[in-house]
């Protein structure tokens, strides 16, 4: 007999974890399916290679201009909690200019009929911040104080970040391998753990969802393959696709949505919030690998007209990541220059610079189901990235760095492949997250974001997910009755 739930949620990250936990807390019968494993703090150690194997998607790449312009490295979590398990917990709300971009992109309006804005998302930010215990991090260590005067001298002062970490954070720098103290919050150790402990939620990790079952214009459930290779069908009153910005559009493509202007936008409008790590070499040890990343940021250039970038301080990749991505004017380092660079590991200070982009990327599936990702940056976007890089180098040199190296373009902040809106010809789902084409099918992750945010997106994704959960629990369409 086919199992039936009120709601099936596919994916347990910033979106799916919140939706599943919230609905379970409100008494709904929820099944949460996750492709990755269920690991907890007891499994997390500062073992870079093991964490990359256990918790991360293998690094994927979006080709720039078909590969002629290089690639953007795509970093994401593949485990219960998704990328919230391996991120740096920075908690920032969308800016007024971000909301304006959303309305311009998809015509999205809020409950009042006015352009969607802070009043529509504010209560959900409040709920998420309270649940996660968001707090200010002014506990700057040596490496931040090394560069802080330079930021101030160049007119872009550092400010403390807000983050979802509590007093159990010991600033040991292991965020990207999972927090071993549970001081760093995630959907894994809040929304999901709380619901599991109370017996309110059914979680099935190591489960690959192949398709959403669509019949007569409605989502009826999902088909998934468990860790033993057995295929199952589960029915539900509502299906929420929250597999992440890169994976949710693929799931929708495999599920056979009816052809329409809306469905043709699935996988389009991929935003990257492209980033680059820039490192400066100093005379004294900085021990950037033993800090809470990130405790400070410079917001002076956040808006497009001011440069369109934010710089975070301070951080460094662990040795494998550092060694395999670091480059200079001559290209990737190797041989003796790489050895000497690594020997100075404790003396490097890293800054992460993130740039606003205009959602010109895409997610694609070929006839064999093979995924690919494209990044097509405009001249204006390239100018922003160049300006951001130049300013970040200036900061490090002003701070006294004797040498500067950097990485290629990377991102953990992909957004926008199933954008929400109030115009079916410019969006994939409506303002509540429901598909324009298939009833009972919702999207609940970073895919929803109509235009790339100018700040770290995880808090906004969670607030949007809280909003979707609230809508589903109110059940205005009678789907859960």
């Amino acid at each position: 007999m086919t199992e039936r739930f009120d709601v099936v949620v596919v994916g347990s990250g910033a979106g799916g974890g919140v939706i599943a936990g919230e609905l379970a807390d409100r008494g709904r019968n929820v099944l949460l399916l996750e492709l990755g494993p269920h690991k907890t703090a007891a499994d997390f150690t500062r073992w870079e290679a093991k964490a990359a194997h256990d918790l991360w998607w293998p690094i994927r790449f979006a080709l720039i201009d078909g590969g002629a312009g290089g690639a953007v490295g795509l970093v994401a979590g593949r485990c219960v909690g998704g990328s919230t398990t391996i991120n740096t917990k920075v908690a920032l709300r969308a800016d007024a200019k971000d909301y304006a971009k959303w309305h311009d992109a998809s015509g999205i309006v809020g409950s009042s009929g006015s352009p969607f804005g802070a009043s529509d998302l504010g209560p959900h930010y409040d709920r998420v911040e309270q649940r996660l215990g968001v707090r200010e991090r002014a506990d700057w260590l040596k490496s931040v104080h090394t560069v802080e005067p330079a930021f101030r001298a160049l007119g872009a002062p550092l400010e403390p970040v807000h983050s979802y970490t509590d007093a159990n954070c010991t600033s040991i720098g292991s965020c990207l391998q999972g927090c071993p103290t549970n001081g760093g919050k995630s959907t894994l150790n809040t929304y999901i753990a709380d619901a599991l402990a109370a017996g309110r939620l059914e979680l099935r990790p190591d489960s690959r969802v192949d398709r959403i079952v669509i019949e007569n214009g409605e989502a009826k459930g999902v088909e998934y393959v468990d860790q033993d290779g057995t295929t199952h069908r589960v029915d539900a009153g509502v299906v929420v696709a929250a597999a992440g910005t890169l994976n949710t559009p693929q799931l929708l493509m495999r599920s056979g949505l009816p052809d329409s202007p809306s469905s043709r936008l699935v996988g389009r409008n991929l935003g990257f919030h492209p980033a680059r790590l820039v490192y400066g070499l100093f005379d004294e040890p900085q021990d950037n690998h033993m800090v809470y990343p990130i405790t400070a940021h410079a917001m002076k250039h956040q808006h497009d007209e001011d440069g369109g970038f934010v710089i975070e301080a301070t951080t460094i990749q662990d040795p494998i990541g550092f060694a395999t991505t670091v480059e200079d004017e001559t290209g990737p380092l190797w041989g003796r220059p790489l050895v000497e660079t690594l020997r100075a590991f404790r003396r490097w200070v890293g800054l992460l610079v993130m740039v606003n982009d205009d959602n010109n990327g895409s997610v694609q599936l070929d006839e064999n189901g093979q995924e690919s990702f494209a990044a097509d940056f405009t001249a204006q976007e390239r100018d922003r990235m160049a300006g951001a890089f130049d300013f970040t180098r200036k900061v490090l040199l002003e701070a006294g760095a004797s040498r500067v190296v950097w990485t290629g373009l990377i991102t953990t902040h992909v957004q926008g492949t199933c954008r929400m809106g109030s115009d079916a010809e410019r969006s994939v789902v409506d303002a509540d997250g429901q598909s324009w084409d298939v009833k009972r099918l919702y999207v609940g992750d970073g895919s929803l974001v109509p235009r790339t945010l100018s700040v770290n997106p995880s808090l906004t994704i969670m607030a949007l997910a809280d909003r979707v959960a609230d809508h589903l629990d109110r059940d205005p369409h009678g789907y859960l009755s």
Side-chain angles (χ1 to χ4, degrees):
M1 180 179 294
T2 301
E3 291 181 281
R4 182 172 180 83
F5 292 82
D6 292 337
V7 181
V8 170
V9 180
V10 181
S12 63
V18 171
I19 293 170
E22 280 291 335
L23 289 175
D25 288 348
R26 301 180 197 197
R28 300 298 184 177
N29 185 22
V30 181
L31 171 63
L32 178 57
L33 296 170
E34 167 58 49
L35 177 62
H38 185 194
K39 304 288 187 179
T40 66
D43 303 300
F44 300 150
T45 62
R46 195 74 182 272
W47 186 351
E48 182 184 3
K50 187 176 190 309
H53 175 271
D54 290 350
L55 306 177
W56 292 29
W57 276 91
I59 303 298
R60 297 177 281 183
F61 295 92
L63 299 183
I64 303 172
D65 298 335
V72 182
L74 309 173
V75 181
R78 187 175 67 178
C79 55
V80 176
S83 294
T84 70
T85 299
I86 61 162
N87 70 0
T88 57
K89 323 301 181 190
V90 175
L92 292 169
R93 295 190 179 200
D95 184 81
K97 293 188 177 182
D98 294 327
Y99 289 124
K101 287 184 178 182
W102 291 9
H103 181 70
D104 289 344
S106 68
I108 187 167
V109 298
S111 56
S112 68
S114 299
F116 190 95
S119 62
D120 296 290
L121 210 50
H124 303 285
Y125 276 126
D126 292 342
R127 284 172 50 82
V128 171
E129 288 171 349
Q130 183 176 15
R131 184 75 178 263
L132 298 178
V134 170
R135 64 179 177 125
E136 183 178 271
R137 295 300 300 261
D139 51 332
W140 296 354
L141 297 180
K142 179 178 180 178
S143 56
V144 179
H145 290 294
T146 295
V147 296
E148 186 276 330
F151 276 99
R152 193 163 13 96
L154 293 173
L158 288 177
E159 309 167 21
V161 302
H162 286 77
S163 75
Y164 36 102
T165 57
D166 68 19
N168 291 301
C169 173
T170 53
S171 296
I172 58 174
S174 62
C175 299
L176 272 65
Q177 290 86 43
C179 181
T181 69
N182 274 333
K185 300 309 174 187
S186 62
T187 57
L188 164 68
N189 61 20
T190 56
Y191 291 91
I192 296 169
D194 292 348
L196 286 176
R200 295 189 294 264
L201 176 66
E202 177 77 15
L203 169 66
R204 296 178 189 172
D206 303 299
S207 297
R208 185 188 76 238
V209 177
D210 285 338
R211 73 181 184 103
I212 298 163
V213 178
I214 299 172
E215 298 173 354
N216 300 317
E218 294 189 343
K220 296 296 186 182
V222 301
E223 287 184 356
Y224 75 94
V225 179
D226 66 21
Q227 60 184 334
D228 297 322
T230 303
T231 299
H232 305 266
R233 173 170 169 168
V234 177
D235 289 344
V238 165
V239 174
V240 180
T245 297
L246 301 179
N247 306 306
T248 286
Q250 297 183 51
L251 176 59
L252 298 188
M253 291 173 191
R254 294 196 302 267
S255 300
L257 270 62
D259 181 54
S260 72
S262 170
S263 65
R264 286 181 223 123
L265 292 175
V266 172
R268 302 277 300 278
N269 305 304
L270 171 61
F272 296 98
H273 205 206
R276 192 189 300 270
L277 284 154
V278 186
Y279 301 108
L281 182 63
F282 291 85
D283 294 337
E284 298 294 326
Q286 302 293 320
D287 289 329
N288 232 193
H289 62 296
M290 295 296 288
V291 301
Y292 161 64
I294 306 291
T295 52
H297 53 196
M299 307 295 288
K300 170 76 172 181
H301 303 96
Q302 175 183 1
H303 301 131
D304 291 351
E305 61 270 24
D306 297 321
F309 61 91
V310 170
I311 304 175
E312 294 183 333
T314 56
T315 188
I316 194 169
Q317 292 167 289
D318 276 341
I320 296 173
F322 183 77
T324 54
T325 60
V326 69
E327 59 185 64
D328 63 12
E329 293 88 348
T330 66
L333 299 187
W334 64 286
R336 178 60 58 184
L338 178 59
V339 171
E340 295 302 322
T341 297
L342 283 167
R343 281 179 173 162
F345 185 75
R346 292 183 61 200
R347 296 193 286 124
W348 291 101
V349 170
L351 304 177
L352 180 67
V353 57
M354 306 171 295
V355 184
N356 301 345
D357 72 313
D358 300 330
N359 296 77
N360 293 310
S362 62
V363 177
Q364 300 159 8
L365 284 181
D366 67 17
E367 62 274 11
N368 298 314
Q370 182 66 40
E371 67 181 18
S372 63
F373 310 99
D376 298 307
F377 295 120
T378 64
Q380 186 177 42
E381 290 172 298
R382 293 171 194 269
D383 287 345
R384 274 190 221 129
M385 287 187 276
F389 178 48
D390 289 345
F391 185 84
T392 308
R393 289 186 67 186
K394 286 179 182 177
V395 168
L396 290 166
L397 294 171
E398 175 72 19
S402 60
R403 184 182 173 207
V404 176
V405 296
W406 52 88
T407 69
L409 292 175
I410 57 173
T411 182
T412 59
H413 294 172
V414 286
Q415 302 158 60
T417 50
C418 298
R419 62 170 38 156
M420 63 180 187
S422 299
D423 181 348
E425 296 197 351
R426 291 190 286 160
S427 57
V428 174
V429 298
D430 66 20
D432 295 316
Q434 183 173 209
S435 166
W436 289 108
D437 301 304
V438 178
K439 294 179 179 180
R440 300 176 183 266
L441 171 59
Y442 285 76
V443 170
D445 57 21
S447 308
L448 290 171
V449 179
R451 278 287 304 274
T452 303
L453 291 155
S454 61
V455 295
N456 308 56
S458 64
L459 187 72
T460 298
I461 295 169
M462 287 189 268
L464 288 169
D466 184 82
R467 185 171 177 270
V468 171
D470 189 57
H471 166 82
L472 289 173
D473 187 56
R474 286 188 286 106
D475 197 22
H477 305 296
Y479 294 158
L480 306 184
S481 300

